[in-house]
Amino acid sequence: MSSLGRALAGFMSSSLFGSATQVVKGKVSAIFLGAAGVGVFNQLTLFYTLSMTLASLGLRNGVTRNVAAAQADAGQANAATEGVLRQFSSAFLLVAAVSLLVTAVSVLASDRVSDLLFDDGGERRQLIVLVALAVPIGVAGLIYRALLNGLRVVGPLVRARMIADGSSVIVFAALVIPFGIVGAALGFIFLQAAFLVLVFRTTWTVAPSLAIPRPEAFEFAEARKNFVFGAHSVIVGVTGLGASLFISRLIISTLDLEANGYYVVAVKIATVYLGGLYAAASGYFLSSVVKAAAEKTVGKTIDEAVRLYLAVVAPVIVVLMASGEIFVVAFFSVEFLPVAVILLLLLPGDAVRLVAETMGQALIAQRKLVSSCIVFAVWAAIYCAGAILLLPRFGLLGLAVAYTASQLLLLGVLLVVCRRLLDYAPCRQTIYTVLRAMLLVTSASAACWYVESLVTKMLVCAALVLAWGAVSMRDPFFAGAITKLWRVIRARFMPSR
């Protein structure tokens, strides 16, 4: 099995566990906060992510890339080098200072920020202060994770993520039940702090000389190596967050806060629970593309990643659609039942998103950053325009259609851009993999839309997955990857006695 496949197996186990913890938190939030409370908490996390994006200067991808390059130049694996030490220390100390500044400004302007997010005249300023205090903690954890990704430390990083997620569930529930939305904010801070402690411990174990950033190793020129990547990440991050905030405010103004809560849950299922797989593996994929560039195998690496991702994600999407009503009620509450219908139109778009973002990461690795920013801005504009057009007429279902349509158009744009800039076009097997996956998820979506009986839905979707699997197993790559992936997962979770 390829190194990317082994890493994907590890990251997938972390993602599945992380998704399980998100389900538990979602259940607690749904019961004790309600749809409106979920909408409020979503605005807070969007504000946190925006602050993180600005405070971290978007250096994560640059640190991962430059650490991987420094290690390759040194010809050593997981060992501290002078180049790695300078890169990590310079980036860490710079973003630490900026994050403290962002936090200070957020605290001082908490009244205005609260009014901007909630149109409440500053009523939720205390929540803004709490979330702002988590920014320096989150930034530090982000840079440590970038370092470990660059060193290609997979297992310990996966374990750190899983322990942080698991412990945060207990704390989150213990705080939300008595304290409501304030408890949710405190639980969110705990997650960031726990992850920072664990990645610091991991770094101390695998590369102790790198665990503590050294002021004497700080070189602004070293940090500046990441600015191109940082500018790209900041532009893309702010654009995406701006689109999300725009959509949320549009829902609130057009419908109400509860409707925003419904859409938040639907997007969370699609882009957080499933997207966790991609987000976890993206750092490793990025460093793999850097290595592949030197070997002139970038196209092969992209194809392999797309095929592996879809082999896992496509059947999971079908399961979510078929059992949507059960899933929403069991893991949230009856109040969120309308989310099940929204997912039928949203989840196919997320399958496309994983493919598009994989190609987008290749553009980043090959330093086609201006093009990447333009492509992402085009997507945001399409999504927002579609929301303006469809939300007033068709409600949240129209918004879900706008999302899926924007992802399809983004994929089309990326195919053209990658062909021109990277000389990449998906191979025939990859095209067949994508077509099979899309046929599977769209057929399942249509079946779930028109069939009323839950049992019939599940039977039809099960038949579709079996047919997809039978056809896909004729592909030697798919058959080999699934077999070896299953062996890794079985060895990890079901060791023989």
Side-chain angles (χ1 to χ4, degrees):
M1 191 176 191
S2 68
S3 59
L4 179 61
R6 288 192 297 271
L8 180 62
F11 286 129
M12 186 185 71
S13 63
S14 173
S15 177
L16 291 174
F17 183 79
S19 297
T21 63
Q22 289 290 335
V23 167
V24 176
K25 290 179 182 178
K27 181 70 173 181
V28 173
S29 299
I31 293 174
F32 294 97
L33 299 180
V38 169
V40 170
F41 187 60
N42 178 70
Q43 293 293 83
L44 292 175
T45 55
L46 284 176
F47 166 70
Y48 168 82
T49 306
L50 178 60
S51 300
M52 277 276 292
T53 301
L54 295 172
S56 67
L57 303 174
L59 299 190
R60 185 187 70 181
N61 285 337
V63 171
T64 295
R65 188 183 192 280
N66 288 318
V67 166
Q71 284 294 90
D73 291 341
Q76 302 178 42
N78 299 336
T81 67
E82 289 299 320
V84 173
L85 181 60
R86 288 195 304 271
Q87 172 63 210
F88 170 65
S89 296
S90 301
F92 184 95
L93 294 172
L94 179 61
V95 300
V98 175
S99 67
L100 291 173
L101 177 61
V102 169
T103 295
V105 172
S106 299
V107 171
L108 292 173
S110 57
D111 284 358
R112 293 186 178 182
V113 174
S114 177
D115 188 57
L116 179 65
L117 292 177
F118 302 104
D119 192 21
D120 62 358
E123 180 182 345
R124 296 178 175 87
R125 59 184 178 276
Q126 293 181 340
L127 296 175
I128 300 301
V129 171
L130 282 176
V131 172
L133 292 176
V135 172
I137 302 171
V139 166
L142 196 69
I143 299 301
Y144 274 106
R145 187 176 76 176
L147 170 66
L148 293 173
N149 271 325
L151 295 175
R152 299 167 74 87
V153 177
V154 178
L157 183 56
V158 167
R159 287 191 292 273
R161 182 76 267 173
M162 293 176 72
I163 294 172
D165 286 337
S167 60
S168 71
V169 171
I170 300 173
V171 174
F172 185 85
L175 292 172
V176 168
I177 293 173
F179 301 116
I181 191 67
V182 174
L186 291 172
F188 184 77
I189 294 174
F190 173 84
L191 173 60
Q192 314 311 318
F195 182 67
L196 173 58
V197 170
L198 290 165
V199 290
F200 173 80
R201 180 178 179 275
T202 299
T203 306
W204 185 272
T205 301
V206 301
S209 59
L210 294 174
I212 300 177
R214 301 180 187 178
E216 64 271 18
F218 177 85
E219 294 181 8
F220 185 76
E222 190 70 27
R224 190 171 57 191
K225 292 180 180 179
N226 301 311
F227 282 176
V228 174
F229 288 92
H232 168 270
S233 297
V234 169
I235 292 171
V236 169
V238 170
T239 301
L241 291 166
S244 297
L245 287 169
F246 174 82
I247 296 298
S248 294
R249 290 299 297 269
L250 185 64
I251 294 173
I252 294 170
S253 62
T254 304
L255 302 175
D256 52 36
L257 191 58
E258 288 188 353
N260 186 46
Y262 295 148
Y263 194 70
V264 165
V265 168
V267 171
K268 180 180 292 188
I269 294 171
T271 63
V272 176
Y273 294 171
L274 289 180
L277 168 65
Y278 170 78
S282 62
Y284 189 90
F285 173 70
L286 181 65
S287 59
S288 297
V289 173
V290 173
K291 180 181 178 181
E295 301 171 357
K296 301 187 184 302
T297 58
V298 172
K300 181 180 178 181
T301 301
I302 297 173
D303 284 335
E304 178 183 336
V306 169
R307 295 165 76 183
L308 282 170
Y309 291 160
L310 288 179
V312 176
V313 169
V316 173
I317 286 177
V318 175
V319 171
L320 286 175
M321 289 192 292
S323 59
E325 296 175 16
I326 297 175
F327 181 88
V328 169
V329 174
F331 296 122
F332 296 95
S333 69
V334 176
E335 182 184 4
F336 289 87
L337 199 55
V339 171
V341 180
I342 300 172
L343 288 175
L344 298 182
L345 301 177
L346 202 66
L347 285 171
D350 207 58
V352 179
R353 182 182 72 89
L354 293 180
V355 178
E357 289 194 2
T358 301
M359 296 171 63
Q361 280 283 348
L363 285 176
I364 296 172
Q366 293 297 288
R367 304 179 70 89
K368 308 298 183 182
L369 304 181
V370 174
S371 298
S372 177
C373 289
I374 294 173
V375 167
F376 193 77
V378 169
W379 166 79
I382 293 172
Y383 184 27
C384 292
I388 294 172
L389 178 65
L390 298 178
L391 178 63
R393 298 181 61 186
F394 303 106
L396 296 181
L397 294 180
L399 187 55
V401 170
Y403 173 81
T404 296
S406 70
Q407 296 298 342
L408 285 168
L409 291 172
L410 173 63
L411 179 58
V413 170
L414 278 168
L415 286 171
V416 174
V417 171
C418 287
R419 178 64 176 177
R420 292 179 62 87
L421 299 182
L422 303 182
D423 195 26
Y424 165 74
C427 68
R428 180 179 301 178
Q429 290 78 12
T430 299
I431 294 173
Y432 289 159
T433 298
V434 173
L435 291 177
R436 285 197 304 269
M438 293 312 301
L439 180 61
L440 172 65
V441 297
T442 53
S443 298
S445 176
C448 292
W449 183 274
Y450 288 106
V451 176
E452 295 185 3
S453 169
L454 179 61
V455 174
T456 304
K457 286 181 185 179
M458 299 181 73
L459 289 175
V460 170
C461 288
L464 290 172
V465 171
L466 289 175
W468 167 82
V471 174
S472 297
M473 287 298 287
R474 299 177 64 182
D475 179 354
F477 176 89
F478 179 92
I482 291 298
T483 300
K484 293 175 182 178
L485 189 63
W486 169 247
R487 289 175 183 171
V488 171
I489 295 174
R490 187 174 59 181
R492 185 179 296 271
F493 292 104
M494 299 175 288
S496 59
R497 295 181 179 178

